[in-house]
Amino acid sequence: MEWFVILILAFVCLVFIFLANSGKNEASVNGKEITIDLTPYTWKETFELAGVHIPERRNYILQFVKWRHPVLIYHESNNRFSKQALAVQHTSVIIGYVPEYMITEVRPLLEKKHQVLIESVDFSGGYLEVKVSVYY
């Protein structure tokens, strides 16, 4: 009977810890721990990055880009392929682009208060998939 009470108390403690940290995400970028508070954001839009297959980008992503790392999305006006291009930058390196079919959905989100994070990095079967979420 005592072990059951201890088990219940441990479970309750874990639930409280989870709830206290549910809006915050911790990541390490360049060896520095960062905490990202997502509680101000109600919605998120998630999409797969385009252009991550380029060897230099792929190598950088596999070595440095991790789950919940913050990234920056900005209009790359001098892009030779698209005048609407939205680049995705991790630290000081462009790791990919918002796909053309998502630009009209993502661009207005960037005018609101937002946070952009790496949602996933998956490399399997020689294919690299990087997903990004815009919290707004």
Side-chain angles (χ1 to χ4, degrees):
M1 182 69 169
E2 288 178 12
W3 64 270
F4 183 71
V5 172
I6 292 171
L7 184 64
I8 297 241
L9 287 173
F11 178 74
V12 169
C13 288
L14 286 173
V15 168
F16 279 119
I17 291 169
F18 175 77
L19 291 175
N21 292 315
S22 64
K24 296 184 178 176
N25 292 284
E26 294 182 0
S28 175
V29 179
N30 294 333
K32 296 178 184 175
E33 290 293 323
I34 57 171
T35 300
I36 300 160
D37 184 8
L38 297 176
T39 54
Y41 309 105
T42 307
W43 310 100
K44 82 173 179 177
E45 184 72 45
T46 302
F47 54 90
E48 184 177 347
L49 291 185
V52 298
H53 65 283
I54 294 172
E56 296 82 17
R57 287 187 197 146
R58 184 188 67 225
N59 293 340
Y60 176 87
I61 290 166
L62 291 174
Q63 188 171 6
F64 298 109
V65 178
K66 307 291 183 227
W67 175 74
R68 287 296 190 244
H69 278 191
V71 291
L72 174 69
I73 298 178
Y74 65 92
H75 178 231
E76 189 180 63
S77 57
N78 62 346
N79 186 292
R80 63 184 173 140
F81 299 106
S82 172
K83 300 242 185 252
Q84 298 181 53
L86 294 176
V88 179
Q89 184 175 316
H90 178 267
T91 62
S92 61
V93 178
I94 293 176
I95 60 170
Y97 290 86
V98 174
E100 284 286 322
Y101 69 89
M102 289 293 298
I103 288 176
T104 56
E105 290 181 46
V106 173
R107 187 181 298 273
L109 304 180
L110 303 179
E111 296 172 9
K112 302 176 181 185
K113 181 177 178 175
H114 68 280
Q115 177 71 54
V116 187
L117 301 176
I118 297 293
E119 192 68 32
S120 65
V121 177
D122 183 33
F123 186 62
S124 58
Y127 180 76
L128 177 62
E129 177 187 81
V130 179
K131 289 187 179 177
V132 169
S133 289
V134 179
Y135 293 83
Y136 61 100

